Amino acid sequence: MRFKLILFILPVIFSSCVTQQKISWETGITEATIKLPAELKSISVLNRVRLAYSFNNMGLNPNVPDFMLACINNFKNQIRRQKFLSLSNTQEKYKHRANGQFPDTLTKNEIISTGIGSDIIASLEMLDQKINDTYTIDIRRENLGNKTYREVDYIVGKRTIKVKTGWRLYNAKSGSLIDQWEQDKTYFYEAESLERSRATSLLNVNYKREMFNLGAELGRQYAQRISPIKHLQTREVYASGNLYLENGAKAAAQEKWDQAQNTWLEGVEFEVKRKKLAYLYHNLAINEERKGNTNKAREYARLAANQHPVGVKTQSIVGF
C-alpha cells in the first residue's frame, strides 16, 4: 500500500514542474572614451610582450608573469562584462622584450593576418615591472608588566612596485591604428617583524597576489576605455507546459520577438487550463515590458492573475 501511494504521488509532483527561461534585451548604451565605428563588433587580443629581465640580488624572480597575465585576462573578462563587443581569439606573436618602451606598430599585413575573424585587435605591446625593497627601524615600547617597559626595534619592510603597460588598438579590417594608451602605477605594501628575514618572507608571501591585483586593475581600465557598455534587462518567461510556451520561448531566445508574441497569443486562444493560460499571459506581459508598453504589460499581468495566483508575481514584476 505504501509503495502504491508513492507511485501515485510522483507523477503529480513532476507534472507540476515548469521550466523558466531567461531572456534579455538592450535598454541602453554607455559610450566609451574611444568612439568605435558602429560596424566594429568583435575583438581579438594580442600579447606582444616577452619577459626577459635580468635577475638581481633581491632573491625575487623579476619575470613573474602574474602581472602580465592578469592584465590580459581581466581585460577579456571586463570586455565580456560590458556585453558590447564579442570576444574572439587570443594570440601571442610579434613579441619584443619588456623594457617600458613601445615597439614599432604592426604593419598593415600583420594587422590583417592577425585579426582574421575579428573586427579590432587589442594588443598589449609595452610593459615594465620594477620591484624595490627598503627597510626601516620602528622603535616601540613593549609592556613587561609592573609598569615596566622596554624599547624594541621592529623591522618594517616596504616593497615598492612600479608597473607600466602600453596598449594599441588596431582596426583589423583596414589595418589602421585606432588608439595608443600608456598606463603607469606605483604601489607599495609593507610587512613588519622583529627580524629582517621574517619581514622579507612576509613581503614575498604576498608578492604574486599584489602583482596579480595590479595587472587586473590596469587590464580592466583599458577595456573600459575602448568598449561601450551594453545595459540589459533580464526577465524569465515560461518555456514549458505546452507547445505554445515552448516555441514562443525558443523564438524569444533568438530575439524573434514578433514570432514569440504571435505564438503566445495563439496559445491564449486554444489553451483551456487556467495555470497555463497564466503562463502565457505572463510571457505576453514581459514582452510588452520589453517594448516599453507599460499599460499593456500591466493588462496582461492582470489577466494572468485572474487565471491563477502565479499571475500575482507577474504583476509585481511589471509594476502593477
Side-chain angles (χ1 to χ4, degrees), residues 23-26 257-258 261 285-293 297:
I23 59 171
S24 300
W25 61 89
E26 181 182 317
W257 300 109
D258 290 341
Q261 176 177 291
I286 296 302
N287 186 48
E288 293 300 330
E289 181 193 27
R290 177 193 66 82
K291 294 190 287 185
N293 298 334

Side-chain angles (χ1 to χ4, degrees), residues 47-274:
N47 179 16
R48 296 187 63 190
V49 174
R50 183 179 75 253
L51 298 176
Y53 291 100
S54 300
F55 281 74
N56 54 32
N57 58 2
M58 289 177 57
L60 289 173
N61 179 4
N63 297 308
V64 168
D66 297 63
F67 171 74
M68 179 182 68
L69 295 179
C71 195
I72 291 172
N73 290 334
N74 211 43
F75 170 84
K76 295 192 293 185
N77 290 338
Q78 187 64 32
I79 290 291
R80 294 188 186 99
R81 283 191 288 267
Q82 296 184 198
K83 302 181 185 297
F84 186 85
L85 295 170
S86 61
L87 195 61
S88 183
N89 60 333
T90 302
Q91 302 178 64
E92 296 193 10
K93 57 183 181 180
Y94 309 123
K95 288 199 166 190
H96 78 108
R97 183 173 180 171
N99 59 8
Q101 301 293 323
F102 272 108
D104 292 338
T105 58
L106 296 177
T107 66
K108 182 176 180 179
N109 288 337
E110 289 172 339
I111 294 169
I112 293 174
S113 64
T114 302
I116 293 175
S118 60
D119 298 324
I120 52 180
I121 305 168
S123 179
L124 180 62
E125 306 213 342
M126 181 259 283
L127 184 143
D128 199 17
Q129 54 188 41
K130 295 178 179 177
I131 300 95
N132 182 55
D133 287 354
T134 57
Y135 295 88
T136 58
I137 297 176
D138 186 11
I139 301 175
R140 302 177 186 176
R141 296 179 68 191
E142 183 178 282
N143 189 349
L144 300 177
N146 297 322
K147 298 182 180 181
T148 304
Y149 299 88
R150 70 172 181 179
E151 291 185 342
V152 178
D153 292 344
Y154 270 83
I155 308 299
V156 180
K158 177 180 178 181
R159 177 160 296 168
T160 302
I161 303 173
K162 295 182 179 181
V163 292
K164 180 190 292 186
T165 58
W167 293 83
R168 285 186 177 130
L169 188 68
Y170 297 101
N171 186 323
K173 303 302 182 186
S174 66
S176 59
L177 178 66
I178 300 174
D179 180 50
Q180 177 173 303
W181 199 49
E182 184 176 319
Q183 300 162 284
D184 293 274
K185 189 173 181 67
T186 299
Y187 174 81
F188 73 89
Y189 64 100
E190 295 179 333
E192 61 180 42
S193 178
L194 292 173
E195 299 176 358
R196 176 167 172 155
S197 60
R198 175 60 178 163
T200 301
S201 177
L202 292 173
L203 290 174
N204 292 342
V205 166
N206 296 321
Y207 175 49
K208 287 190 175 184
R209 184 189 67 187
E210 299 294 348
M211 295 293 283
F212 176 90
N213 290 341
L214 283 170
E217 178 185 348
L218 298 188
R220 180 182 67 252
Q221 288 176 0
Y222 192 61
Q224 292 170 335
R225 173 178 170 83
I226 66 167
S227 174
I229 301 173
K230 180 186 290 187
H231 301 283
L232 300 176
Q233 177 66 272
T234 300
R235 293 284 190 248
E236 289 186 336
V237 295
Y238 293 102
S240 65
N242 59 35
L243 287 177
Y244 303 106
L245 290 165
E246 292 175 14
N247 293 335
K250 289 177 183 177
Q254 298 170 12
E255 297 188 354
K256 298 178 180 178
W257 300 109
D258 290 341
Q259 180 181 333
Q261 176 177 291
N262 292 335
T263 303
W264 292 326
L265 285 171
E266 186 179 356
V268 167
E269 294 181 13
F270 292 99
E271 182 58 66
V272 295
K273 294 184 178 180
R274 296 174 67 89

